[in-house]
Amino acid sequence: MLRLTTRLAKVMALFLCTPLILQACGGGHSSTPKKDSVGAPAHDTVLPAATLVPIDTAAYNLKLLYLAHNDSSSRFLIHKDYPLPGAILPFKRIVAYYGNLYSKRMGVLGEYPPNVMLNMLKDVCKQWAKADTATPVQPALHYICVTAQGSPGRDGKYRARMPFKQIDSVLHMAARINAIVFLDVQVGFSTVQAEVPLLEKYLVMPNVHLGIDAEFAMKPGMRVGKNVGSFDASDVNWCADYLVKLVKAHNLPPKVFIVHRWTEKMITNYRQIKLHPEVQIVMDMDGWGPQQLKMDTYRNYEGAQPVQFTGFKLFYKNDVKTLAKVKYAATTMMSPQQVLALKPSPIYIQYQ
């Protein structure tokens, strides 16, 4: 369990890895949409708007120091571009269930019936709240709304866009437990510029945020599922700039923007990623494998190449696999306490 320093308690009441071994998140290749799998209840899909309180910059700074384990030399103590009122991070830790409603193999979100899945998420959130009593937990559903495909499709882009009724279903489910929603994009041979604007009617909702998966951002000569793709800082910046415009135009609280990464080359020119008060960027370590390998990857990429905030992904199935020809022993899924011990402590946690 993380412990507050005395000062923070008064204010407020995480060696080189082998990236070729750490495995991908395995999120692509969903089935082609056939039918809606979840009936949507009648209540609203937008969480009630909360009063937007101006950021307490002193509390913000202390919370960053807390996540850095009180290391005043941490490069994650970014005391600029303070977020707009209503920011979630770093005051709450987001704990998300990830997946797609058309596939039981892409993550826990689509693997179980909604009632079962939501109860599982609530139990996991309780575990995180107990492990770090200083940081309230914000539940989330992280839905892959554009999935990379092994076949080209009609337009040759190797991606499938999920029907909006599925996004609506996820929003309804999220509202039942006051969860926020992330819409995740795997572009295949398309681009963020082509895919993200199609989600605008959802991204203007205060409870809906964005994720992009570099693994499935294909380049010429690559194949989905055979090669690991990449985004450049310019892609990340384009998405952030787009979100900034929405936040300003609709007077929204800051958007949380998740960027998945488990190898160095997945995000190029990371130093050129720009920060904004309207957007909170999370670099999410989403590789699976033995515990030590996951920790090494986090330390060498998310930890050693700071952008703003960090995230960490846990796999109910893949993290417990025994990998052939791997120097590490068979593993178990890391506990909240083990993840919190990473430096800095991740403020976004995702389960697949």
Side-chain angles (χ1 to χ4, degrees):
M1 180 185 298
L2 287 179
R3 299 185 182 277
L4 276 173
T5 62
T6 301
R7 185 184 179 198
L8 180 55
K10 292 178 180 178
V11 177
M12 296 294 297
L14 220 181
F15 39 72
L16 293 176
C17 73
T18 309
L20 292 177
I21 297 176
L22 188 70
Q23 301 298 306
C25 69
H29 301 286
S30 76
S31 300
T32 301
K34 295 180 180 179
K35 62 180 180 178
D36 199 357
S37 58
V38 180
H43 51 70
D44 292 340
T45 59
V46 180
L47 295 179
T51 301
L52 300 184
V53 179
I55 294 299
D56 181 337
T57 57
Y60 184 96
N61 293 343
L62 285 173
K63 194 64 178 180
L64 293 185
L65 184 61
Y66 174 63
L67 295 175
H69 298 260
N70 299 313
D71 179 4
S72 60
S73 67
S74 172
R75 291 186 290 167
F76 284 89
L77 304 181
I78 302 172
H79 301 153
K80 62 179 181 178
D81 297 307
Y82 288 109
L84 296 180
I88 297 174
L89 307 178
F91 304 107
K92 294 182 180 181
R93 175 171 284 107
I94 299 171
V95 177
Y97 266 11
Y98 169 96
N100 178 280
L101 298 182
Y102 286 123
S103 173
K104 294 184 177 182
R105 298 178 59 187
M106 293 177 70
V108 63
L109 173 56
E111 183 175 359
Y112 299 98
N115 288 340
V116 175
M117 180 271 297
L118 292 174
N119 285 330
M120 290 172 61
L121 177 55
K122 289 193 291 185
D123 288 343
V124 167
C125 287
K126 291 178 182 178
Q127 295 174 24
W128 281 93
K130 183 178 180 180
D132 181 4
T133 58
T135 310
V137 174
Q138 171 61 62
L141 299 182
H142 196 122
Y143 180 63
I144 316 166
C145 65
V146 181
T147 65
Q149 301 287 303
S151 57
R154 292 181 179 179
D155 60 1
K157 299 299 183 182
Y158 289 81
R159 57 89 182 91
R161 298 166 178 158
M162 300 299 103
F164 283 171
K165 63 181 180 179
Q166 289 287 30
I167 299 177
D168 294 337
S169 294
V170 174
L171 286 165
H172 284 306
M173 286 188 281
R176 292 167 56 184
I177 61 169
N178 293 320
I180 60 175
V181 170
F182 288 87
L183 299 181
D184 205 81
V185 176
Q186 302 175 352
V187 299
F189 282 95
S190 184
T191 64
V192 291
Q193 291 84 352
E195 302 302 326
V196 172
L198 300 178
L199 306 172
E200 182 167 322
K201 79 171 194 174
Y202 295 106
L203 292 172
V204 298
M205 298 178 181
N207 56 318
V208 178
H209 305 267
L210 180 66
I212 60 173
D213 198 335
E215 178 182 353
F216 300 103
M218 298 288 98
K219 303 297 182 286
M222 290 184 172
R223 293 180 59 190
V224 172
K226 300 295 183 180
N227 304 101
V228 177
S230 66
F231 282 127
D232 186 69
S234 60
D235 299 303
V236 177
N237 288 336
W238 187 92
C239 291
D241 289 342
Y242 182 82
L243 294 174
V244 167
K245 293 177 183 178
L246 295 184
V247 170
K248 289 181 176 180
H250 298 274
N251 195 29
L252 299 170
K255 291 295 181 181
V256 181
F257 178 26
I258 308 298
V259 181
H260 301 295
R261 180 190 199 185
W262 54 274
T263 74
E264 184 171 18
K265 294 181 179 180
M266 284 174 67
I267 303 296
T268 56
N269 300 307
Y270 82 94
R271 291 184 178 88
Q272 297 177 20
I273 295 175
K274 300 177 182 178
L275 303 183
H276 308 271
E278 297 84 1
V279 179
Q280 301 193 285
I281 299 178
V282 177
M283 305 302 292
D284 176 44
M285 202 300 288
D286 70 330
W288 61 268
Q291 290 184 8
Q292 189 61 55
L293 197 53
K294 289 171 71 83
M295 291 187 287
D296 288 345
T297 299
Y298 179 86
R299 178 167 57 247
N300 284 289
Y301 305 139
E302 280 69 25
Q305 299 185 3
V307 175
Q308 189 173 22
F309 297 103
T310 64
F312 199 84
K313 189 168 185 175
L314 297 164
F315 294 77
Y316 282 113
K317 294 182 172 62
N318 288 357
D319 278 351
V320 301
K321 287 184 177 181
T322 300
L323 303 177
K325 299 181 181 179
V326 176
K327 61 181 179 180
Y328 301 108
T331 188
T332 57
M333 189 172 72
M334 293 172 66
S335 68
Q337 291 81 0
Q338 288 175 300
V339 176
L340 290 170
L342 296 170
K343 188 176 179 180
S345 299
I347 199 66
Y348 169 87
I349 306 298
Q350 183 183 101
Y351 285 83
Q352 179 168 329

